[in-house]
Amino acid sequence: MFVFFILFTSSFVALDAFCPVLCNCTIKDFIACSGTSIRDIAALSIPSDVTYVYIGHTEATELTNTSFQETPITVRLFLEGNHFSFIESGVFQKFPLLKSLKLSNNNIRSLPPGIFHRLFHLEQLILERNAISDLDPYIFQNLTDLEQLMLNRNMLRQLPAGLLDHLVNLQILYLSRNKLGSLPKYIFNSLFKLKSLTLYENRLSELTSGMFDNLTELQELHLYANAIETVDKETFYNLPKLNVLTLHRNGIKTLPEGLFLYLPSLTKLTIYGNPLTELPSVLFCKMENLTNLWLYRTNLMTIPNFVFSNLTDLKLLVLTQNQKLQSLPKDAFSGLSKLQELALHSNSLEFLVEGLFQDLQQLQTLSLYSNKLKDLPENLFHPLINLENAYLNKSELMTLPGTFFKSLTKLKKVRLDGNQLQPPVMIDIQCFKSLSPG
């Protein structure tokens, strides 16, 4: 017992003795150092026998070739929330087995050539939230095992051609929130395994054919909040596994014919917030997984017949806040047999043709408020046998046929307030479960 106590005590003292001041070593193989009193990383004397090193939220401003000793077993090195602005090219050569390197939220403006050349096993590189404005074209050339590269929230204005050519195992690439105005034509051509690409909140002005051609494994593509005005017809032709495509808040006025014809796996598509003036008659392929489509804040005056007819599983369609949308053709919603909610409010619709809702037998909620309708055809709502909620308030209605809601046995709520309905208004409500006029 006495011998065991001596051995245990000696082990504890030895462990505690090797833990640097201002660091925490309570977890096995892990060291965490933080605090504003840390100004020199080398002075910490990080031990060489830890697998995970965290140094964050210090006042240190530089990483030099002497900041660390040889650390042959370290696989994760997190250096986030510091003030690093100067980094020497050999600082990471002492981490031969490193798999994850995080340098986010520092003051890094540039990276020296060759800084990552010895990190042959690196799988994750996080450089987000810095001020990096340019990159050496060969800086990633030895990172053939890299799976995640995060360069978002920097100051990048361009990417050099060939920058990503060697990242053949990359699966996640974040380039959002930079200042990219254009991209080299073949910048993504080697990324055969890429699954997620974010380019939102940049300054891209066009999407060209071939830009994404080799990304056959891509599942998410985020392009919203750029300055995109033109999209080539073949931009998305080779993305068979794409689930999510976000194009909202750009400057797109027209969409080319058949733009989304080769995206059968889409579950989410956003094109709202663009100054669209028209839609082509053929736009979508059969998308069995797309259930929601948002198309608001555009300059559309109408939409073509049958434009949504391939979206047979759509459950929510939002066509709102289109100030120039004045009319809809009879077959605008043809084929939407599973649609449950249709939002047409806050437009400038002046009339709705009879038969417009003929295919919408599963519709439960219809919002038409804040339009300029004046009156409506007597049989307009008759096909809507499952309708539960109807919002017709503030639509400038002056008359409404007495049998307008006839046969709608599931109707629960109607809003008619804010109109100019002239008495007497005869509405048969005997079949209603409840009626809410306001």
PDB file of all heavy atoms in Angstrom, residues 256-288:
ATOM      1  N   PRO A 256     -32.819  30.950 -67.880  1.00  0.00           N
ATOM      2  CA  PRO A 256     -32.849  30.310 -69.196  1.00  0.00           C
ATOM      3  C   PRO A 256     -33.766  29.088 -69.224  1.00  0.00           C
ATOM      4  O   PRO A 256     -33.990  28.440 -68.197  1.00  0.00           O
ATOM      5  CB  PRO A 256     -31.388  29.913 -69.431  1.00  0.00           C
ATOM      6  CG  PRO A 256     -30.772  29.876 -68.083  1.00  0.00           C
ATOM      7  CD  PRO A 256     -31.501  30.876 -67.259  1.00  0.00           C
ATOM      8  N   GLU A 257     -34.293  28.788 -70.385  1.00  0.00           N
ATOM      9  CA  GLU A 257     -35.155  27.627 -70.577  1.00  0.00           C
ATOM     10  C   GLU A 257     -34.463  26.357 -70.098  1.00  0.00           C
ATOM     11  O   GLU A 257     -33.312  26.085 -70.430  1.00  0.00           O
ATOM     12  CB  GLU A 257     -35.498  27.503 -72.063  1.00  0.00           C
ATOM     13  CG  GLU A 257     -36.542  26.464 -72.382  1.00  0.00           C
ATOM     14  CD  GLU A 257     -37.924  27.071 -72.572  1.00  0.00           C
ATOM     15  OE1 GLU A 257     -38.052  28.308 -72.460  1.00  0.00           O
ATOM     16  OE2 GLU A 257     -38.853  26.303 -72.839  1.00  0.00           O
ATOM     17  N   GLY A 258     -35.170  25.581 -69.277  1.00  0.00           N
ATOM     18  CA  GLY A 258     -34.659  24.283 -68.843  1.00  0.00           C
ATOM     19  C   GLY A 258     -33.537  24.333 -67.829  1.00  0.00           C
ATOM     20  O   GLY A 258     -32.815  23.343 -67.663  1.00  0.00           O
ATOM     21  N   LEU A 259     -33.389  25.433 -67.109  1.00  0.00           N
ATOM     22  CA  LEU A 259     -32.257  25.593 -66.196  1.00  0.00           C
ATOM     23  C   LEU A 259     -32.190  24.483 -65.150  1.00  0.00           C
ATOM     24  O   LEU A 259     -31.107  24.011 -64.801  1.00  0.00           O
ATOM     25  CB  LEU A 259     -32.340  26.962 -65.501  1.00  0.00           C
ATOM     26  CG  LEU A 259     -31.213  27.277 -64.507  1.00  0.00           C
ATOM     27  CD1 LEU A 259     -29.863  27.330 -65.217  1.00  0.00           C
ATOM     28  CD2 LEU A 259     -31.485  28.581 -63.769  1.00  0.00           C
ATOM     29  N   PHE A 260     -33.345  24.045 -64.640  1.00  0.00           N
ATOM     30  CA  PHE A 260     -33.365  23.053 -63.561  1.00  0.00           C
ATOM     31  C   PHE A 260     -33.817  21.672 -64.042  1.00  0.00           C
ATOM     32  O   PHE A 260     -34.286  20.861 -63.252  1.00  0.00           O
ATOM     33  CB  PHE A 260     -34.290  23.543 -62.429  1.00  0.00           C
ATOM     34  CG  PHE A 260     -33.960  24.919 -61.906  1.00  0.00           C
ATOM     35  CD1 PHE A 260     -34.935  25.907 -61.862  1.00  0.00           C
ATOM     36  CD2 PHE A 260     -32.680  25.226 -61.466  1.00  0.00           C
ATOM     37  CE1 PHE A 260     -34.645  27.173 -61.383  1.00  0.00           C
ATOM     38  CE2 PHE A 260     -32.381  26.490 -60.984  1.00  0.00           C
ATOM     39  CZ  PHE A 260     -33.360  27.469 -60.941  1.00  0.00           C
ATOM     40  N   LEU A 261     -33.630  21.400 -65.312  1.00  0.00           N
ATOM     41  CA  LEU A 261     -34.117  20.136 -65.879  1.00  0.00           C
ATOM     42  C   LEU A 261     -33.302  18.922 -65.434  1.00  0.00           C
ATOM     43  O   LEU A 261     -33.764  17.786 -65.578  1.00  0.00           O
ATOM     44  CB  LEU A 261     -34.122  20.203 -67.411  1.00  0.00           C
ATOM     45  CG  LEU A 261     -35.330  20.858 -68.068  1.00  0.00           C
ATOM     46  CD1 LEU A 261     -35.205  20.803 -69.579  1.00  0.00           C
ATOM     47  CD2 LEU A 261     -36.626  20.203 -67.616  1.00  0.00           C
ATOM     48  N   TYR A 262     -32.098  19.110 -64.933  1.00  0.00           N
ATOM     49  CA  TYR A 262     -31.232  17.983 -64.605  1.00  0.00           C
ATOM     50  C   TYR A 262     -30.900  17.930 -63.111  1.00  0.00           C
ATOM     51  O   TYR A 262     -29.810  17.510 -62.732  1.00  0.00           O
ATOM     52  CB  TYR A 262     -29.952  18.047 -65.446  1.00  0.00           C
ATOM     53  CG  TYR A 262     -30.235  17.958 -66.926  1.00  0.00           C
ATOM     54  CD1 TYR A 262     -30.453  19.103 -67.682  1.00  0.00           C
ATOM     55  CD2 TYR A 262     -30.329  16.723 -67.563  1.00  0.00           C
ATOM     56  CE1 TYR A 262     -30.743  19.024 -69.039  1.00  0.00           C
ATOM     57  CE2 TYR A 262     -30.612  16.627 -68.916  1.00  0.00           C
ATOM     58  CZ  TYR A 262     -30.825  17.785 -69.647  1.00  0.00           C
ATOM     59  OH  TYR A 262     -31.117  17.695 -70.984  1.00  0.00           O
ATOM     60  N   LEU A 263     -31.855  18.318 -62.306  1.00  0.00           N
ATOM     61  CA  LEU A 263     -31.669  18.326 -60.855  1.00  0.00           C
ATOM     62  C   LEU A 263     -32.786  17.528 -60.175  1.00  0.00           C
ATOM     63  O   LEU A 263     -33.568  18.064 -59.384  1.00  0.00           O
ATOM     64  CB  LEU A 263     -31.642  19.765 -60.329  1.00  0.00           C
ATOM     65  CG  LEU A 263     -30.524  20.666 -60.859  1.00  0.00           C
ATOM     66  CD1 LEU A 263     -30.708  22.096 -60.379  1.00  0.00           C
ATOM     67  CD2 LEU A 263     -29.155  20.133 -60.459  1.00  0.00           C
ATOM     68  N   PRO A 264     -32.877  16.246 -60.449  1.00  0.00           N
ATOM     69  CA  PRO A 264     -34.001  15.457 -59.928  1.00  0.00           C
ATOM     70  C   PRO A 264     -33.978  15.214 -58.428  1.00  0.00           C
ATOM     71  O   PRO A 264     -34.986  14.842 -57.843  1.00  0.00           O
ATOM     72  CB  PRO A 264     -33.851  14.118 -60.681  1.00  0.00           C
ATOM     73  CG  PRO A 264     -32.386  14.014 -60.967  1.00  0.00           C
ATOM     74  CD  PRO A 264     -31.942  15.425 -61.244  1.00  0.00           C
ATOM     75  N   SER A 265     -32.827  15.441 -57.776  1.00  0.00           N
ATOM     76  CA  SER A 265     -32.701  15.137 -56.341  1.00  0.00           C
ATOM     77  C   SER A 265     -32.961  16.334 -55.438  1.00  0.00           C
ATOM     78  O   SER A 265     -32.848  16.223 -54.214  1.00  0.00           O
ATOM     79  CB  SER A 265     -31.294  14.580 -56.048  1.00  0.00           C
ATOM     80  OG  SER A 265     -31.044  13.402 -56.776  1.00  0.00           O
ATOM     81  N   LEU A 266     -33.313  17.477 -56.003  1.00  0.00           N
ATOM     82  CA  LEU A 266     -33.484  18.686 -55.193  1.00  0.00           C
ATOM     83  C   LEU A 266     -34.566  18.516 -54.131  1.00  0.00           C
ATOM     84  O   LEU A 266     -35.668  18.062 -54.419  1.00  0.00           O
ATOM     85  CB  LEU A 266     -33.841  19.881 -56.072  1.00  0.00           C
ATOM     86  CG  LEU A 266     -32.700  20.674 -56.702  1.00  0.00           C
ATOM     87  CD1 LEU A 266     -33.234  21.935 -57.346  1.00  0.00           C
ATOM     88  CD2 LEU A 266     -31.614  21.030 -55.700  1.00  0.00           C
ATOM     89  N   THR A 267     -34.224  18.910 -52.901  1.00  0.00           N
ATOM     90  CA  THR A 267     -35.202  18.995 -51.828  1.00  0.00           C
ATOM     91  C   THR A 267     -35.470  20.452 -51.441  1.00  0.00           C
ATOM     92  O   THR A 267     -36.490  20.763 -50.850  1.00  0.00           O
ATOM     93  CB  THR A 267     -34.718  18.239 -50.574  1.00  0.00           C
ATOM     94  OG1 THR A 267     -33.485  18.812 -50.121  1.00  0.00           O
ATOM     95  CG2 THR A 267     -34.494  16.765 -50.895  1.00  0.00           C
ATOM     96  N   LYS A 268     -34.530  21.342 -51.793  1.00  0.00           N
ATOM     97  CA  LYS A 268     -34.692  22.765 -51.483  1.00  0.00           C
ATOM     98  C   LYS A 268     -34.145  23.604 -52.630  1.00  0.00           C
ATOM     99  O   LYS A 268     -33.020  23.403 -53.076  1.00  0.00           O
ATOM    100  CB  LYS A 268     -33.961  23.120 -50.191  1.00  0.00           C
ATOM    101  CG  LYS A 268     -34.076  24.593 -49.798  1.00  0.00           C
ATOM    102  CD  LYS A 268     -33.354  24.880 -48.491  1.00  0.00           C
ATOM    103  CE  LYS A 268     -33.477  26.351 -48.099  1.00  0.00           C
ATOM    104  NZ  LYS A 268     -32.776  26.645 -46.821  1.00  0.00           N
ATOM    105  N   LEU A 269     -34.956  24.547 -53.095  1.00  0.00           N
ATOM    106  CA  LEU A 269     -34.563  25.476 -54.152  1.00  0.00           C
ATOM    107  C   LEU A 269     -35.077  26.857 -53.776  1.00  0.00           C
ATOM    108  O   LEU A 269     -36.280  27.037 -53.541  1.00  0.00           O
ATOM    109  CB  LEU A 269     -35.142  25.047 -55.499  1.00  0.00           C
ATOM    110  CG  LEU A 269     -34.974  26.034 -56.654  1.00  0.00           C
ATOM    111  CD1 LEU A 269     -33.502  26.214 -57.007  1.00  0.00           C
ATOM    112  CD2 LEU A 269     -35.758  25.565 -57.875  1.00  0.00           C
ATOM    113  N   THR A 270     -34.177  27.853 -53.727  1.00  0.00           N
ATOM    114  CA  THR A 270     -34.604  29.217 -53.413  1.00  0.00           C
ATOM    115  C   THR A 270     -34.198  30.154 -54.547  1.00  0.00           C
ATOM    116  O   THR A 270     -33.034  30.224 -54.918  1.00  0.00           O
ATOM    117  CB  THR A 270     -33.973  29.715 -52.096  1.00  0.00           C
ATOM    118  OG1 THR A 270     -32.540  29.754 -52.238  1.00  0.00           O
ATOM    119  CG2 THR A 270     -34.308  28.787 -50.942  1.00  0.00           C
ATOM    120  N   ILE A 271     -35.178  30.851 -55.106  1.00  0.00           N
ATOM    121  CA  ILE A 271     -34.906  31.820 -56.165  1.00  0.00           C
ATOM    122  C   ILE A 271     -35.612  33.154 -55.894  1.00  0.00           C
ATOM    123  O   ILE A 271     -35.680  34.022 -56.764  1.00  0.00           O
ATOM    124  CB  ILE A 271     -35.318  31.277 -57.557  1.00  0.00           C
ATOM    125  CG1 ILE A 271     -36.729  30.710 -57.526  1.00  0.00           C
ATOM    126  CG2 ILE A 271     -34.344  30.222 -58.030  1.00  0.00           C
ATOM    127  CD1 ILE A 271     -37.200  30.173 -58.868  1.00  0.00           C
ATOM    128  N   TYR A 272     -36.114  33.321 -54.683  1.00  0.00           N
ATOM    129  CA  TYR A 272     -36.815  34.555 -54.335  1.00  0.00           C
ATOM    130  C   TYR A 272     -35.830  35.721 -54.214  1.00  0.00           C
ATOM    131  O   TYR A 272     -34.614  35.544 -54.171  1.00  0.00           O
ATOM    132  CB  TYR A 272     -37.594  34.371 -53.031  1.00  0.00           C
ATOM    133  CG  TYR A 272     -36.750  34.062 -51.822  1.00  0.00           C
ATOM    134  CD1 TYR A 272     -36.140  35.080 -51.092  1.00  0.00           C
ATOM    135  CD2 TYR A 272     -36.578  32.753 -51.387  1.00  0.00           C
ATOM    136  CE1 TYR A 272     -35.357  34.797 -49.982  1.00  0.00           C
ATOM    137  CE2 TYR A 272     -35.803  32.467 -50.265  1.00  0.00           C
ATOM    138  CZ  TYR A 272     -35.199  33.486 -49.570  1.00  0.00           C
ATOM    139  OH  TYR A 272     -34.430  33.200 -48.477  1.00  0.00           O
ATOM    140  N   GLY A 273     -36.370  36.937 -54.171  1.00  0.00           N
ATOM    141  CA  GLY A 273     -35.530  38.109 -53.979  1.00  0.00           C
ATOM    142  C   GLY A 273     -34.660  38.448 -55.170  1.00  0.00           C
ATOM    143  O   GLY A 273     -33.633  39.107 -55.028  1.00  0.00           O
ATOM    144  N   ASN A 274     -35.068  37.993 -56.366  1.00  0.00           N
ATOM    145  CA  ASN A 274     -34.401  38.369 -57.610  1.00  0.00           C
ATOM    146  C   ASN A 274     -35.354  39.234 -58.430  1.00  0.00           C
ATOM    147  O   ASN A 274     -36.569  39.055 -58.356  1.00  0.00           O
ATOM    148  CB  ASN A 274     -34.023  37.114 -58.413  1.00  0.00           C
ATOM    149  CG  ASN A 274     -32.772  36.438 -57.885  1.00  0.00           C
ATOM    150  OD1 ASN A 274     -31.668  36.928 -58.065  1.00  0.00           O
ATOM    151  ND2 ASN A 274     -32.947  35.300 -57.216  1.00  0.00           N
ATOM    152  N   PRO A 275     -34.846  40.151 -59.257  1.00  0.00           N
ATOM    153  CA  PRO A 275     -35.725  41.001 -60.072  1.00  0.00           C
ATOM    154  C   PRO A 275     -36.226  40.291 -61.333  1.00  0.00           C
ATOM    155  O   PRO A 275     -36.174  40.837 -62.429  1.00  0.00           O
ATOM    156  CB  PRO A 275     -34.825  42.189 -60.413  1.00  0.00           C
ATOM    157  CG  PRO A 275     -33.453  41.622 -60.452  1.00  0.00           C
ATOM    158  CD  PRO A 275     -33.421  40.558 -59.379  1.00  0.00           C
ATOM    159  N   LEU A 276     -36.712  39.068 -61.187  1.00  0.00           N
ATOM    160  CA  LEU A 276     -37.190  38.280 -62.315  1.00  0.00           C
ATOM    161  C   LEU A 276     -38.356  38.976 -63.005  1.00  0.00           C
ATOM    162  O   LEU A 276     -39.329  39.374 -62.355  1.00  0.00           O
ATOM    163  CB  LEU A 276     -37.632  36.897 -61.834  1.00  0.00           C
ATOM    164  CG  LEU A 276     -36.532  35.956 -61.327  1.00  0.00           C
ATOM    165  CD1 LEU A 276     -37.145  34.798 -60.554  1.00  0.00           C
ATOM    166  CD2 LEU A 276     -35.700  35.449 -62.490  1.00  0.00           C
ATOM    167  N   THR A 277     -38.273  39.084 -64.312  1.00  0.00           N
ATOM    168  CA  THR A 277     -39.359  39.702 -65.073  1.00  0.00           C
ATOM    169  C   THR A 277     -40.248  38.663 -65.744  1.00  0.00           C
ATOM    170  O   THR A 277     -41.391  38.953 -66.085  1.00  0.00           O
ATOM    171  CB  THR A 277     -38.799  40.648 -66.154  1.00  0.00           C
ATOM    172  OG1 THR A 277     -37.910  39.910 -67.007  1.00  0.00           O
ATOM    173  CG2 THR A 277     -38.034  41.794 -65.511  1.00  0.00           C
ATOM    174  N   GLU A 278     -39.711  37.451 -65.918  1.00  0.00           N
ATOM    175  CA  GLU A 278     -40.505  36.381 -66.525  1.00  0.00           C
ATOM    176  C   GLU A 278     -39.872  35.029 -66.204  1.00  0.00           C
ATOM    177  O   GLU A 278     -38.706  34.944 -65.834  1.00  0.00           O
ATOM    178  CB  GLU A 278     -40.583  36.556 -68.041  1.00  0.00           C
ATOM    179  CG  GLU A 278     -39.234  36.537 -68.737  1.00  0.00           C
ATOM    180  CD  GLU A 278     -39.338  36.728 -70.232  1.00  0.00           C
ATOM    181  OE1 GLU A 278     -40.470  36.691 -70.748  1.00  0.00           O
ATOM    182  OE2 GLU A 278     -38.292  36.888 -70.873  1.00  0.00           O
ATOM    183  N   LEU A 279     -40.675  33.986 -66.342  1.00  0.00           N
ATOM    184  CA  LEU A 279     -40.193  32.620 -66.204  1.00  0.00           C
ATOM    185  C   LEU A 279     -40.344  31.911 -67.540  1.00  0.00           C
ATOM    186  O   LEU A 279     -41.335  32.124 -68.243  1.00  0.00           O
ATOM    187  CB  LEU A 279     -40.990  31.867 -65.134  1.00  0.00           C
ATOM    188  CG  LEU A 279     -40.911  32.365 -63.693  1.00  0.00           C
ATOM    189  CD1 LEU A 279     -41.799  31.512 -62.793  1.00  0.00           C
ATOM    190  CD2 LEU A 279     -39.478  32.348 -63.188  1.00  0.00           C
ATOM    191  N   PRO A 280     -39.403  31.038 -67.908  1.00  0.00           N
ATOM    192  CA  PRO A 280     -39.564  30.272 -69.136  1.00  0.00           C
ATOM    193  C   PRO A 280     -40.682  29.241 -68.967  1.00  0.00           C
ATOM    194  O   PRO A 280     -40.982  28.820 -67.846  1.00  0.00           O
ATOM    195  CB  PRO A 280     -38.209  29.598 -69.322  1.00  0.00           C
ATOM    196  CG  PRO A 280     -37.655  29.493 -67.943  1.00  0.00           C
ATOM    197  CD  PRO A 280     -38.145  30.704 -67.206  1.00  0.00           C
ATOM    198  N   SER A 281     -41.269  28.810 -70.057  1.00  0.00           N
ATOM    199  CA  SER A 281     -42.371  27.854 -69.978  1.00  0.00           C
ATOM    200  C   SER A 281     -41.904  26.487 -69.503  1.00  0.00           C
ATOM    201  O   SER A 281     -42.655  25.735 -68.885  1.00  0.00           O
ATOM    202  CB  SER A 281     -43.067  27.728 -71.341  1.00  0.00           C
ATOM    203  OG  SER A 281     -42.122  27.348 -72.333  1.00  0.00           O
ATOM    204  N   VAL A 282     -40.633  26.139 -69.790  1.00  0.00           N
ATOM    205  CA  VAL A 282     -40.053  24.885 -69.308  1.00  0.00           C
ATOM    206  C   VAL A 282     -38.888  25.233 -68.400  1.00  0.00           C
ATOM    207  O   VAL A 282     -37.909  25.827 -68.827  1.00  0.00           O
ATOM    208  CB  VAL A 282     -39.563  24.005 -70.482  1.00  0.00           C
ATOM    209  CG1 VAL A 282     -38.902  22.740 -69.943  1.00  0.00           C
ATOM    210  CG2 VAL A 282     -40.713  23.655 -71.414  1.00  0.00           C
ATOM    211  N   LEU A 283     -39.012  24.861 -67.120  1.00  0.00           N
ATOM    212  CA  LEU A 283     -37.991  25.252 -66.151  1.00  0.00           C
ATOM    213  C   LEU A 283     -37.559  24.098 -65.252  1.00  0.00           C
ATOM    214  O   LEU A 283     -36.373  23.934 -64.974  1.00  0.00           O
ATOM    215  CB  LEU A 283     -38.527  26.400 -65.284  1.00  0.00           C
ATOM    216  CG  LEU A 283     -37.562  27.030 -64.284  1.00  0.00           C
ATOM    217  CD1 LEU A 283     -36.323  27.587 -64.975  1.00  0.00           C
ATOM    218  CD2 LEU A 283     -38.267  28.132 -63.486  1.00  0.00           C
ATOM    219  N   PHE A 284     -38.508  23.282 -64.802  1.00  0.00           N
ATOM    220  CA  PHE A 284     -38.223  22.250 -63.813  1.00  0.00           C
ATOM    221  C   PHE A 284     -38.348  20.851 -64.415  1.00  0.00           C
ATOM    222  O   PHE A 284     -39.219  20.600 -65.249  1.00  0.00           O
ATOM    223  CB  PHE A 284     -39.209  22.341 -62.638  1.00  0.00           C
ATOM    224  CG  PHE A 284     -39.266  23.691 -61.986  1.00  0.00           C
ATOM    225  CD1 PHE A 284     -40.291  24.575 -62.293  1.00  0.00           C
ATOM    226  CD2 PHE A 284     -38.312  24.085 -61.075  1.00  0.00           C
ATOM    227  CE1 PHE A 284     -40.368  25.811 -61.691  1.00  0.00           C
ATOM    228  CE2 PHE A 284     -38.378  25.331 -60.466  1.00  0.00           C
ATOM    229  CZ  PHE A 284     -39.407  26.194 -60.774  1.00  0.00           C
ATOM    230  N   CYS A 285     -37.488  19.940 -63.920  1.00  0.00           N
ATOM    231  CA  CYS A 285     -37.684  18.525 -64.224  1.00  0.00           C
ATOM    232  C   CYS A 285     -38.616  17.937 -63.163  1.00  0.00           C
ATOM    233  O   CYS A 285     -39.098  18.658 -62.281  1.00  0.00           O
ATOM    234  CB  CYS A 285     -36.351  17.780 -64.221  1.00  0.00           C
ATOM    235  SG  CYS A 285     -35.584  17.650 -62.578  1.00  0.00           S
ATOM    236  N   LYS A 286     -38.872  16.665 -63.235  1.00  0.00           N
ATOM    237  CA  LYS A 286     -39.677  16.017 -62.201  1.00  0.00           C
ATOM    238  C   LYS A 286     -38.842  15.914 -60.931  1.00  0.00           C
ATOM    239  O   LYS A 286     -37.826  15.228 -60.905  1.00  0.00           O
ATOM    240  CB  LYS A 286     -40.135  14.637 -62.650  1.00  0.00           C
ATOM    241  CG  LYS A 286     -41.123  13.980 -61.702  1.00  0.00           C
ATOM    242  CD  LYS A 286     -41.685  12.710 -62.278  1.00  0.00           C
ATOM    243  CE  LYS A 286     -42.666  12.036 -61.313  1.00  0.00           C
ATOM    244  NZ  LYS A 286     -43.815  12.912 -60.976  1.00  0.00           N
ATOM    245  N   MET A 287     -39.282  16.610 -59.901  1.00  0.00           N
ATOM    246  CA  MET A 287     -38.557  16.655 -58.632  1.00  0.00           C
ATOM    247  C   MET A 287     -39.448  16.075 -57.541  1.00  0.00           C
ATOM    248  O   MET A 287     -40.253  16.770 -56.934  1.00  0.00           O
ATOM    249  CB  MET A 287     -38.163  18.101 -58.300  1.00  0.00           C
ATOM    250  CG  MET A 287     -37.245  18.741 -59.308  1.00  0.00           C
ATOM    251  SD  MET A 287     -36.899  20.473 -58.883  1.00  0.00           S
ATOM    252  CE  MET A 287     -35.855  20.955 -60.275  1.00  0.00           C
ATOM    253  N   GLU A 288     -39.287  14.803 -57.285  1.00  0.00           N
ATOM    254  CA  GLU A 288     -40.164  14.113 -56.350  1.00  0.00           C
ATOM    255  C   GLU A 288     -39.870  14.450 -54.892  1.00  0.00           C
ATOM    256  O   GLU A 288     -40.682  14.133 -54.019  1.00  0.00           O
ATOM    257  CB  GLU A 288     -40.068  12.601 -56.569  1.00  0.00           C
ATOM    258  CG  GLU A 288     -40.557  12.170 -57.950  1.00  0.00           C
ATOM    259  CD  GLU A 288     -40.463  10.674 -58.159  1.00  0.00           C
ATOM    260  OE1 GLU A 288     -39.783  10.011 -57.338  1.00  0.00           O
ATOM    261  OE2 GLU A 288     -41.060  10.176 -59.125  1.00  0.00           O
TER     262      GLU A 288
END
